[in-house]
Amino acid sequence: MGASKSAAFTLEQNELSILFKALGHPARIAIIQYILSAKSCICGDLVDVLPLSQATVSQHLKELKTANIIQGSIEGNSICYCLNPTTLEKFKAIIGDFIEVNNCGKNECC
Amino acid sequence: MGASKSAAFTLEQNELSILFKALGHPARIAIIQYILSAKSCICGDLVDVLPLSQATVSQHLKELKTANIIQGSIEGNSICYCLNPTTLEKFKAIIGDFIEVNNCGKNECC
DNA sequence: ATTGTATATTGCAATATTACGATATATTAA
DNA sequence: TTAATATATCGTAATATTGCAATATACAAT
């Protein structure tokens, strides 16, 4: 007991929760915000911006990469990160469903 | 060390990550999907639907309640859950920003 | 009052996450 | 080659999450 019973849930439920889980930490939200706001894709200055050590930032980046939320490419000495457009499209579609379904809800209780 | 350094991040970053974190488990996604699909607001049949014990389902419901994603009202003997419209609006607004900002992204690298 | 049904809480074990120092790896510059 | 810079990984400690049996609480019906 203790481990998540992910095998007992659907693929969709697992995929969705992996996406959300990856966004479930303030440092990773900060990273996404930084990437969104940076004119060009950012490199290693994340470490200067975030209140975390280099090792910890690297770990958070890895988690975002594992969830396919960001992708990195080697740019000379450093690495350049940006959002993964495929995942972003998927995310938009999912959220769109969520919002739509709810629009026709009646809130019969609560 | 090990505890999340949430105090080092902005209120917005924390609020957002709390929302996402609450959705970061397949059981909680399943609960949201069930509430969305149920014609009227559901009650205790979640326990029959989910592959988890009553205690565990109750715990997941509590986490969704703590994050203000769902709300429950006593309905005689049982409890009736539905989405919290305020949080849902907030969520929609945030996601809207995310999507918009990205639409004008150029993906200069990667 | 007692019994049955629905939900919540407690206590605990297993596992996962978070954070960082130290170290490894990779590229650039000299 | 050597030194400097950028990023990743390892090892480890602290903390958080997950799941469930057992138990508690709350309401309904008898």
Side-chain angles (χ1 to χ4, degrees), chain A residues 32-48:
Chain A
I32 301 289
Q33 287 178 333
Y34 190 89
I35 293 181
L36 282 173
S37 74
K39 308 279 172 293
S40 65
C41 289
I42 56 102
C43 311
D45 26 34
L46 268 173
V47 177
D48 300 328

Side-chain angles (χ1 to χ4, degrees), chain A residues 89-101:
Chain A
E89 281 310 310
K90 197 192 273 183
F91 193 73
K92 279 162 64 172
I94 289 163
I95 299 298
D97 287 353
F98 260 60
I99 291 169
E100 253 187 62
V101 172

Side-chain angles (χ1 to χ4, degrees), chain A residues 97-110, chain B residues 32 34-41 81-85 88-89 92:
Chain A
D97 287 353
F98 260 60
I99 291 169
E100 253 187 62
V101 172
N102 186 71
N103 276 346
C104 31
K106 304 106 214 199
N107 267 22
E108 276 155 38
C109 72
C110 306
Chain B
I32 300 290
Y34 190 90
I35 294 182
L36 282 173
S37 73
K39 309 282 174 288
S40 67
C41 289
Y81 286 104
C82 62
L83 298 183
N84 180 324
L88 210 86
E89 281 310 311
K92 278 162 66 173

